Amino acid sequence: MQRTRGSRIPKQPRHADQTSQTDLSAWRKGGRVDSEKSLQNQQSVDNDQKYDSQEGSLEEALSYLEEIQDDAALKKNSVLQKHLDAVESTALKQGLPPEVFETLLNVALSGKFADTVNTRILKSLIPASVVPESSVVTAVSWLCVGQCSGNVQLLFLKWLITVFDLIDQKEQLNALYGFFFSFLQDEKVCPYVCHLLYLLTRKENVKPFRIRRLLDLQAKMGVQSHLQALLSLYKLFCPEQVSITLPGKTKKWNAQLVIPASSSNTSNLEEAGEENSVCLYSTDVSLPVEQLQTFPQLLQNIHRLEFPAQMGSVLTSPLLLHYMNCAQEESIYLRLYYWMGQMLQEECTWCVVDNPNEEEFKSFLETIYKAECFLQEGFSACEEFLYKTLPLWDGFCCRSEILRLVSWIPLSSFSDIKSYLYDPLAQLFFTSSIYFKCSVLECLKELLQNWLNCNVIQVDSEFSSSSTTLSGLVNMVAELVHFVGWISTVALRLENNSTFLLYFILNFYGTVCDMYLKYNLPLLIMPPAGVFYPALLSMDSVNLNKLCHIMYRYRTNLVAAKENELSKKNILQFKFSNQTYQEYNQYIIAMVGCLWTSSAFQKDIHPQGLCMDDKLLRKTAVKELKNSFNIVYHPAMMGYSVQFLQQIRPDDVTFNFKSIKGKKWDWYLEYLYSQGLKGLKVFIESSISRVSQASRSKAGNVET
Amino acid sequence: MAEEAQEDGATRTLPSLRRLSRALPFGRTHGRLGISSSGRPIVSALCSQESADPQQTALLLRKAWTLYSVTPLYRFRRARLRDYARLLSAFIAAEKQKGLAVEVGVELDIKVALSSLADLRGSELDQAALLVQLSSRSRASSRNSEDKLVWSGWFCSVFGDDLSENLPEDFTSLPLFLSHGAESYTSLVGSWFQKTFDCCFRRLAISPQNLSWMVAMWAGCKLDRAAAAVELVFSVPRLSQPLDISYAIHPEDAKALWDTVQKTPGEITQEEVDVFMDCLYAHFHRHFKIHLSAAKLVKVSTAVASAHCDGIVKILQSQYLPGMLMLLTELAISQIQ
């Protein structure tokens, strides 16, 4: 059987062969990563020349190989040798262009050369871009003729498996499924045919008679990995026809924390129709989740995707989490709810006696947390678990994992959050180390932020699936903020006003002070005096600076609220109580009195504030009490003022702090700002009218 | 289970089986939360379902059943039981010979039968119980020789309305699973159900408090003939050598005691159970100077049924089957929610 074909390769002088060059470089640009592209651009001139010369000889080689009739022996034929070398070197350097495959496959499989030649040709079939499907189909037809030896057949199959992904289409190839299947009988090629079938198989290829044939082979050959793989794929497509379990490590049957995603075979069963298996509607509509690998694939198949048999497996699959985010079915959440609830209880290391798998449980909690972050939503099973187990928790086991999960407790109008969350948490908080206290404060800050974000999203999208009303939300948030205020006050006393602790507390208020403007929530709550005064009198400039910034944000929020209220554009359902403004003003008077006007202990009208009787103050025998907390003398600022003096008068060692006034006061302020005290800057600029700028008195001007 | 003092004995008094399930006072009032801080079930010892098929129930009696709770089955279709049996049978074969594929539908070593026990349920909302039986085919002998039953298990719900109401259509609530036979089969069947219906199994233990409920409940049952003794087994905690104390009481004495404790026939309160147990403890202490209340009640057995704290029960009398299942359903649901 001699196939002649018109040479599709234009026989042109080598320098004129531009088209295939551009083809090749086009593929290279599309198919390679950028770094290679740039590298290639640099060398393009060089390459083009090489390619020119090789392309020329490749062409010659092709026509030679195609036209030669007799079985030429390689050893004696130096011309053949030369042409083979040309094919090989082109293949290794650039890969072969699509149009040469048919010719070369024909040559290699027609059996007109010795096996050594055929082998060399097959081994050099490295595609530059794609392999045309038609060339493969033609090649397969040669297998029927039986001209080529077993070894060449085998090599061809191996080659086919290797380049499978590069074959441009697979429709016709799939039509040859039965043909490939018949090759299974040959023991030598069976493993490769199985592999090829594995790549080719679609749901419609799985037929009872094929299953039976494979099972017969299995009975003959015993456990073979290639048969197992193919049968597993058959099971995936048709679980109602074949069952197989691959050997592997399995944990306790009723406590599998990490479930691999497998497709839901019950629904397949349903679709398989009743008694006879004639399906009027196609059953391959759904894509098995096992085959879902990439995000583009998810996008293309999102309409024909089904959730896995066990919903718990979505936790470890980002693609399925994406899908879950799109599909808002109740059953998804319910299935996950039951599974997660049971797993958490079953594996909880401090609820189940003698459970040694703390690490495993930790990583399970971590997985849940990551999924929650991904979905931006807490799981109700997890919430219930926390409520059930927090009272039993020692605050030590899986600490960071548990606290992170606390931060995703969903916002709901659930009224008993105090007894389920705050009470057990407070008990642990007061009796644990300062580090635990800081972790709790951090997690409650996260919780607050998650609640606030959730509110913003709900307002934005008008999608209020939960029954949370605005007033419910305001109450929940207020309860949380008051709770943190309370534990913070107590904790500062317990921990001796620790700077470290104060930092975490102020972090929390960093979110609270911006709730109105940043999160659109008609609520502002001032920190309690037990937090405010320790921060104001803090020994540490970081915290003082933070307090200043927080007070500045409170001011901005309160001013905006007042303006909205006055403009009455929209009738506000909620109004800040006068008490909030009052509290703010009291604090601001105290702050300005301490930091700016040097009237500490005098100008403080807060009932729990720093106001003290003059007689009492005199008894302390401390000189210059009143300015002892201004920005020069404040213990948190002393370091700056010393450095400032050193800088302006390096030779003066007396440290004349009193000299910082008038113009120097302004320099000093500039110095402070340049040292990164931005909070102090915005506070002073917003809450204090400067003499120099507005020729007013140097008294603190408290607005609102 | 929280051992909370009960506020009011009267609230626990429930006159009938029917009302019992409807008006469970503690059940899941925090429903959403599922924290049944005092999920103490109350079950009247009365009541049998007259309609129950004696042949079917006979399968369930006089066997030691290991208890599990099961979350609702997703996309379980009662009409497909035969398909499920074929799949399960192939699954078991494939699991047993890992790596070898098995054709679904062919005759395999282990035959699986799935069937409904239609009568075994409480309210209208309950699904009929589901019986799973594995039997090994007798190869050597002729076709008509009996297959040997090697394992059985069943799912049921008796007045499990707490779980079944408000459940979406795709879910089937059968919260109680009982198995009898080799653990390896339980694990195979369990994994198949988990994979196929996305449900979760958990062992269901019985707390000492619930055990004392059971013994009080059964002690008061009317018995026709000379009945077995009421026996309570206690284990003494924190000993180097395990020490079990068995306390056997003549059934008539136990019944006489219970009759004096119980105020209204057909109703049981926590207070009455406490009094009953305290009397037994006092009696034991008078003779042996041992405070049984300091030990852990691990097993109770009566002529009606026996129960072990590990979650193993045996039911001896068919007329008490529904009452027992109702209590166990209740326990299973409290473990799920």
Side-chain angles (χ1 to χ4, degrees):
Chain A
M1 185 173 174
Q2 180 61 46
R3 284 158 180 259
T4 49
R5 52 185 285 265
S7 173
R8 271 193 237 138
I9 303 157
K11 290 185 173 152
Q12 285 166 352
R14 63 180 80 157
H15 58 266
D17 190 38
Q18 293 295 325
T19 45
S20 54
Q21 266 179 52
T22 45
D23 280 348
L24 186 74
S25 57
W27 164 73
R28 289 212 144 186
K29 271 174 191 151
R32 296 286 159 111
V33 285
D34 291 359
S35 58
E36 274 185 47
K37 211 195 291 177
S38 58
L39 189 74
Q40 192 215 334
N41 285 342
Q42 284 168 9
Q43 301 171 339
S44 58
V45 183
D46 196 25
N47 267 354
D48 281 355
Q49 283 166 354
K50 272 188 200 162
Y51 188 67
D52 261 353
S53 61
Q54 275 149 13
E55 178 69 8
S57 50
L58 177 63
E59 245 172 76
E60 287 164 18
L62 285 174
S63 50
Y64 172 81
L65 289 171
E66 202 175 11
E67 278 154 26
I68 193 167
Q69 292 293 330
D70 51 332
D71 186 352
L74 184 60
K75 274 179 193 163
K76 290 164 198 161
N77 192 336
S78 61
V79 185
L80 175 59
Q81 183 78 50
K82 188 192 107 193
H83 288 308
L84 280 180
D85 285 346
V87 172
E88 276 168 352
S89 72
T90 312
L92 287 174
K93 281 183 184 138
Q94 268 96 32
L96 299 176
E99 60 272 15
V100 306
F101 281 92
E102 188 158 347
T103 316
L104 288 175
L105 283 168
N106 276 334
V107 171
L109 298 173
S110 63
K112 70 179 174 185
F113 288 115
D115 270 8
T116 39
V117 178
N118 297 335
T119 306
R120 278 181 67 179
I121 293 175
L122 280 173
K123 281 189 175 168
S124 62
L125 290 178
I126 302 165
S129 54
V130 294
V131 176
E133 187 189 27
S134 58
S135 68
V136 178
V137 173
T138 316
V140 172
S141 70
W142 277 110
L143 296 188
C144 306
V145 184
Q147 296 274 35
C148 55
S149 71
N151 282 338
V152 171
Q153 267 188 16
L154 191 64
L155 193 59
F156 169 70
L157 287 172
K158 285 184 186 171
W159 172 81
L160 196 50
I161 291 165
T162 313
V163 300
F164 189 82
D165 287 340
L166 299 175
I167 300 173
D168 53 2
Q169 284 173 42
K170 280 148 197 151
E171 283 309 311
Q172 290 181 45
L173 202 57
N174 187 267
L176 297 173
Y177 192 90
F179 173 76
F180 288 118
F181 198 89
S182 68
F183 269 76
L184 284 172
Q185 278 163 317
D186 185 343
E187 253 180 66
K188 207 170 158 196
V189 296
C190 178
Y192 303 99
V193 173
C194 276
H195 194 160
L196 184 62
L197 291 172
Y198 186 90
L199 298 171
L200 269 180
T201 302
R202 296 176 190 165
K203 191 182 163 97
E204 62 265 24
N205 299 125
V206 183
K207 298 275 191 265
F209 72 86
R210 290 200 176 123
I211 292 173
R212 244 162 261 147
R213 170 70 72 78
L214 288 174
L215 291 175
D216 287 346
L217 277 175
Q218 181 187 260
K220 211 166 73 188
M221 308 200 288
V223 176
Q224 299 290 339
S225 55
H226 48 272
L227 283 177
Q228 281 180 342
L230 187 56
L231 280 161
S232 304
L233 188 66
Y234 275 32
K235 184 205 169 197
L236 178 62
F237 284 121
C238 293
E240 71 281 3
Q241 292 183 22
V242 64
S243 184
I244 183 169
T245 306
L246 296 181
K249 200 174 62 170
T250 42
K251 219 198 144 195
K252 290 174 286 175
W253 65 277
N254 56 347
Q256 200 90 23
L257 288 180
V258 180
I259 305 175
S262 69
S263 39
S264 49
N265 41 18
T266 41
S267 53
N268 285 351
L269 187 67
E270 238 97 63
E271 282 175 34
E274 293 300 320
E275 303 271 295
N276 44 30
S277 56
V278 180
C279 304
L280 291 175
Y281 47 100
S282 175
T283 47
D284 59 350
V285 279
S286 67
L287 178 82
V289 287
E290 290 93 335
Q291 302 200 323
L292 184 66
Q293 306 286 346
T294 61
F295 190 71
Q297 210 187 356
L298 171 74
L299 293 183
Q300 279 161 21
N301 296 293
I302 200 149
H303 59 287
R304 57 186 205 104
L305 206 59
E306 255 198 29
F307 275 107
Q310 287 177 277
M311 196 54 81
S313 62
V314 298
L315 285 191
T316 46
S317 159
L319 290 176
L320 288 175
L321 283 175
H322 271 300
Y323 182 45
M324 186 173 155
N325 227 353
C326 307
Q328 296 283 342
E329 285 167 46
E330 189 192 4
S331 65
I332 300 168
Y333 287 91
L334 203 54
R335 287 163 72 188
L336 204 53
Y337 165 82
Y338 284 125
W339 174 79
M340 195 184 289
Q342 298 299 293
M343 285 307 112
L344 283 168
Q345 286 182 54
E346 186 82 20
E347 297 298 306
C348 173
T349 33
W350 61 92
C351 297
V352 180
V353 192
D354 301 330
N355 192 340
N357 302 319
E358 189 178 329
E359 283 310 311
E360 202 178 356
F361 186 58
K362 259 188 191 173
S363 80
F364 181 55
L365 296 179
E366 184 71 22
T367 307
I368 296 178
Y369 171 73
K370 281 184 187 156
E372 288 183 327
C373 291
F374 187 95
L375 297 170
Q376 287 289 298
E377 182 179 15
F379 294 116
S380 50
C382 197
E383 179 191 8
E384 287 178 14
F385 167 74
L386 290 171
Y387 293 159
K388 270 184 206 171
T389 55
L390 279 180
L392 308 171
W393 186 41
D394 59 3
F396 184 75
C397 179
C398 310
R399 174 190 293 177
S400 60
E401 288 79 12
I402 289 292
L403 289 178
R404 283 163 128 191
L405 290 178
V406 166
S407 71
W408 275 112
I409 286 181
L411 179 67
S412 59
S413 42
F414 173 52
S415 56
D416 269 348
I417 196 156
K418 184 180 176 299
S419 59
Y420 285 112
L421 177 66
Y422 299 151
D423 288 354
L425 217 48
Q427 222 167 41
L428 285 168
F429 182 84
F430 294 136
T431 52
S432 300
S433 72
I434 184 167
Y435 302 106
F436 181 80
K437 292 187 175 85
C438 296
S439 316
V440 168
L441 287 165
E442 179 69 16
C443 106
L444 292 176
K445 187 197 81 183
E446 298 284 330
L447 178 66
L448 177 66
Q449 281 178 342
N450 287 336
W451 284 0
L452 294 170
N453 283 332
C454 154
N455 173 52
V456 172
I457 291 162
Q458 279 186 5
V459 169
D460 279 0
S461 63
E462 301 283 323
F463 174 73
S464 48
S465 59
S466 66
S467 55
T468 342
T469 58
L470 187 60
S471 71
L473 170 75
V474 168
N475 290 339
M476 286 278 286
V477 170
E479 197 182 352
L480 173 61
V481 175
H482 286 309
F483 171 69
V484 173
W486 171 60
I487 59 170
S488 300
T489 305
V490 179
L492 280 171
R493 252 182 283 166
L494 284 174
E495 301 293 343
N496 218 357
N497 295 331
S498 152
T499 304
F500 190 57
L501 182 68
L502 190 58
Y503 178 83
F504 282 88
I505 295 170
L506 291 180
N507 252 352
F508 181 83
Y509 282 98
T511 301
V512 175
C513 66
D514 241 352
M515 290 194 296
Y516 180 74
L517 282 177
K518 200 167 165 192
Y519 298 99
N520 214 1
L521 194 74
L523 180 70
L524 276 181
I525 298 171
M526 299 303 296
V531 169
F532 173 78
Y533 284 100
L536 178 59
L537 305 181
S538 160
M539 304 288 282
D540 173 84
S541 61
V542 173
N543 283 331
L544 184 63
N545 182 53
K546 217 175 177 97
L547 178 72
C548 288
H549 188 263
I550 288 170
M551 292 308 284
Y552 159 72
R553 290 306 305 169
Y554 269 120
R555 182 182 185 279
T556 318
N557 276 261
L558 286 167
V559 168
K562 200 82 182 177
E563 276 168 5
N564 271 350
E565 217 174 285
L566 292 175
S567 70
K568 279 181 187 166
K569 270 180 206 154
N570 40 357
I571 298 149
L572 283 172
Q573 201 183 344
F574 296 91
K575 239 174 79 174
F576 292 151
S577 73
N578 277 334
Q579 206 200 328
T580 311
Y581 292 103
Q582 229 171 48
E583 250 181 314
Y584 170 79
N585 282 336
Q586 287 172 344
Y587 282 159
I588 228 54
I589 290 168
M591 267 180 98
V592 173
C594 277
L595 297 175
W596 194 259
T597 58
S598 305
S599 46
F601 309 110
Q602 291 178 313
K603 292 212 168 178
D604 192 334
I605 52 170
H606 194 281
Q608 286 163 274
L610 290 176
C611 196
M612 272 185 225
D613 194 26
D614 272 347
K615 280 181 200 165
L616 191 68
L617 285 171
R618 245 175 272 135
K619 278 186 189 169
T620 63
V622 178
K623 286 178 201 167
E624 317 241 12
L625 269 167
K626 289 173 192 167
N627 57 19
S628 54
F629 284 107
N630 75 16
I631 53 172
V632 175
Y633 290 94
H634 193 293
M637 307 301 286
M638 203 66 148
Y640 291 103
S641 49
V642 168
Q643 280 200 330
F644 173 71
L645 286 176
Q646 276 176 340
Q647 278 190 18
I648 57 166
R649 288 232 184 112
D651 47 339
D652 189 356
V653 288
T654 54
F655 293 119
N656 187 6
F657 293 109
K658 276 185 188 162
S659 69
I660 305 178
K661 61 185 174 190
K663 218 168 198 178
K664 269 191 200 158
W665 181 272
D666 290 343
W667 291 356
Y668 178 56
L669 274 184
E670 287 305 321
Y671 171 75
L672 290 180
Y673 299 163
S674 74
Q675 295 298 303
L677 297 176
K678 303 286 182 231
L680 186 72
K681 180 169 192 264
V682 289
F683 172 74
I684 289 176
E685 285 174 357
S686 65
S687 301
I688 295 167
S689 302
R690 300 289 315 282
V691 181
S692 50
Q693 287 160 3
S695 72
R696 267 188 264 162
S697 78
K698 210 177 160 188
N701 182 5
V702 181
E703 292 174 36
T704 69
Chain B
M1 202 145 287
E3 311 249 349
E4 289 176 358
Q6 297 318 314
E7 337 67 295
D8 180 10
T11 53
R12 301 198 142 219
T13 312
L14 291 154
S16 75
L17 189 65
R18 191 84 190 142
R19 244 196 73 192
L20 224 161
S21 69
R22 293 271 171 231
L24 269 179
F26 327 91
R28 278 141 296 282
T29 38
H30 325 277
R32 206 184 63 81
L33 256 185
I35 295 175
S36 46
S37 51
S38 58
R40 298 275 298 108
I42 315 99
V43 156
S44 151
L46 307 169
C47 64
S48 63
Q49 304 284 95
E50 275 102 53
S51 58
D53 177 355
Q55 263 196 324
Q56 279 190 343
T57 44
L59 286 171
L60 314 176
L61 297 178
R62 285 177 288 279
K63 272 182 191 158
W65 296 103
T66 307
L67 306 174
Y68 292 83
S69 65
V70 190
T71 60
L73 313 183
Y74 178 65
R75 287 199 180 166
F76 170 79
R77 302 276 180 271
R78 188 73 62 167
R80 308 204 72 92
L81 290 188
R82 214 191 297 167
D83 292 326
Y84 294 154
R86 288 189 315 143
L87 288 169
L88 177 54
S89 161
F91 175 80
I92 291 172
E95 284 282 335
K96 280 185 138 186
Q97 39 184 4
K98 274 196 176 36
L100 285 178
V102 176
E103 190 182 354
V104 176
V106 296
E107 275 217 352
L108 295 162
D109 292 351
I110 295 292
K111 189 178 146 190
V112 178
L114 261 70
S115 53
S116 290
L117 300 176
D119 302 321
L120 211 64
R121 55 180 188 165
S123 75
E124 297 290 309
L125 284 172
D126 283 326
Q127 288 277 333
L130 173 69
L131 180 66
V132 184
Q133 288 172 304
L134 308 188
S135 35
S136 71
R137 281 178 216 272
S138 38
R139 294 203 154 199
S141 51
S142 60
R143 278 201 150 263
N144 41 6
S145 69
E146 283 271 302
D147 292 336
K148 190 179 163 236
L149 188 67
V150 291
W151 182 93
S152 42
W154 42 298
F155 297 81
C156 76
S157 170
V158 176
F159 293 105
D161 303 10
D162 276 336
L163 186 62
S164 51
E165 57 190 9
N166 304 325
L167 208 58
E169 213 180 321
D170 265 346
F171 293 85
T172 302
S173 156
L174 287 167
L176 181 64
F177 176 69
L178 307 93
S179 77
H180 173 78
E183 165 75 24
S184 57
Y185 283 121
T186 311
S187 124
L188 288 177
V189 174
S191 348
W192 185 80
F193 271 87
Q194 281 185 172
K195 283 179 185 156
T196 314
F197 305 112
D198 203 0
C199 54
C200 268
F201 289 72
R202 276 179 76 199
R203 275 297 291 271
L204 183 63
I206 309 175
S207 70
Q209 204 184 5
N210 281 319
L211 284 178
S212 50
W213 263 83
M214 290 178 184
V215 75
M217 202 168 81
W218 297 329
C221 291
K222 257 196 202 116
L223 298 162
D224 306 331
R225 51 198 158 74
V230 171
E231 192 190 2
L232 296 90
V233 179
F234 294 84
S235 102
V236 183
R238 280 183 278 279
L239 287 183
S240 50
Q241 297 288 319
L243 175 62
D244 280 357
I245 300 171
S246 165
Y247 182 2
I249 306 132
H250 194 281
E252 282 172 18
D253 295 344
K255 180 159 171 41
L257 175 61
W258 176 248
D259 288 345
T260 59
V261 170
Q262 192 179 31
K263 293 180 187 106
T264 321
E267 295 176 5
I268 304 177
T269 66
Q270 178 66 47
E271 198 191 352
E272 289 167 356
V273 174
D274 291 343
V275 170
F276 178 74
M277 293 305 282
D278 286 346
C279 288
L280 293 179
Y281 293 159
H283 179 75
F284 196 83
H285 182 252
R286 196 156 48 239
H287 287 280
F288 303 104
K289 300 282 173 278
I290 293 171
H291 290 287
L292 282 179
S293 53
K296 185 190 170 202
L297 181 57
V298 291
K299 190 185 172 191
V300 297
S301 52
T302 70
V304 171
S306 69
H308 192 280
C309 66
D310 287 346
I312 296 165
V313 298
K314 192 189 270 187
I315 304 160
L316 303 168
Q317 307 257 338
S318 65
Q319 69 264 40
Y320 300 105
L321 188 61
M324 178 79 174
L325 292 179
M326 179 178 151
L327 182 124
L328 294 175
T329 303
E330 179 76 30
L331 293 182
I333 290 176
S334 74
Q335 182 160 290
I336 292 167
Q337 286 187 323

